[in-house]
Amino acid sequence: MEYIAPQCQRLPLIGLDPKSKDTPLTLDAVYTALDTKSTERAEGMPRPGGEEAKPLSALQAVGRHPCLVLKGDPGSGKSTFLSYLSLCLAKHHLEPDGQWLKRLEGWPAEARWIPITVVLRDFVRALPEELPEPNPRRFWDFFVRTLDDAKLSACAAALETALDDGHAIVFLDGLDEVPTDAQREYV
């Protein structure tokens, strides 16, 4: 968690603002919630007083559905959303009294999932040119190599246990950034 939180909180502004090194800006300070096309209203249920149903936020959708695909145009904020979600979950572990889960719009207080992100464009770059037989274990093996690169290989066993016990949440990010149709199909 000590690694995840700062990685997710940092906003690289270099190139956008020459003075950015003097002005630290963090994701939690500027995050704007994404809305989905789904609504909070139950199917077929009228709203009292003729109110229109509100869009369901992406945070609410993830909190309500164990498996979810969040689609959107490139640059629409999907990766930033995953960073924010990972930040809040990591900070909740590090600062349990810091009200981090309240930012996740109704997630249960007992939510103590460890966020695990696999960046799919990096995953397919690590595959051989001739794609091997599909196997879900390849995601884990790639993630362990990512941990090794970050000098965090000692965390692999604990993260695998967390996955097995249902105490981790896996984010597969960047499907739209996977270069070829064959690689996207493979993923």
Side-chain angles (χ1 to χ4, degrees):
M1 296 304 160
E2 291 88 5
Y3 178 80
I4 294 170
Q7 293 296 316
C8 294
Q9 194 164 30
R10 182 180 25 211
L11 286 178
L13 297 178
I14 295 170
L16 296 176
D17 180 0
K19 299 177 200 158
S20 65
K21 61 183 171 208
D22 299 331
T23 312
L25 195 56
T26 59
L27 179 58
D28 60 306
V30 298
Y31 181 76
T32 301
L34 291 179
D35 285 335
T36 67
K37 291 183 180 180
S38 299
T39 59
E40 289 189 64
R41 179 180 62 197
E43 291 288 322
M45 299 295 295
R47 304 259 318 165
E51 292 178 29
E52 292 207 19
K54 297 186 328 187
L56 188 67
S57 77
L59 288 168
Q60 291 167 324
V62 170
R64 293 178 186 178
H65 302 285
C67 294
L68 179 77
V69 174
L70 183 62
K71 298 186 328 183
D73 292 333
S76 62
K78 300 177 301 292
S79 294
T80 301
F81 165 72
L82 290 182
S83 290
Y84 182 74
L85 186 52
S86 295
L87 171 66
C88 290
L89 290 170
K91 285 288 209 169
H92 177 63
H93 281 273
L94 296 170
E95 303 168 10
D97 297 329
Q99 306 298 314
W100 286 95
L101 284 185
K102 284 191 177 193
R103 298 170 187 233
L104 298 183
E105 301 180 23
W107 278 41
E110 64 275 4
R112 301 220 21 111
W113 297 298
I114 297 170
I116 296 175
T117 300
V118 175
V119 180
L120 296 175
R121 72 172 175 272
D122 297 338
F123 170 71
V124 297
R125 280 186 199 138
L127 292 172
E129 193 171 317
E130 187 173 317
L131 296 173
E133 187 68 29
N135 181 336
R137 185 73 191 183
R138 292 189 197 289
F139 280 117
W140 181 252
D141 293 343
F142 170 76
F143 183 71
V144 169
R145 284 192 307 276
T146 304
L147 290 173
D148 288 343
D149 292 345
K151 309 280 188 267
L152 295 170
S153 56
C155 299
L159 289 172
E160 189 166 23
T161 299
L163 269 172
D164 290 343
D165 293 345
H167 296 120
I169 186 167
V170 178
F171 302 125
L172 302 176
D173 188 26
L175 182 61
D176 59 335
E177 298 169 11
V178 172
T180 69
D181 290 340
Q183 290 170 326
R184 277 190 293 281
E185 186 176 321
Y186 179 85
V187 169

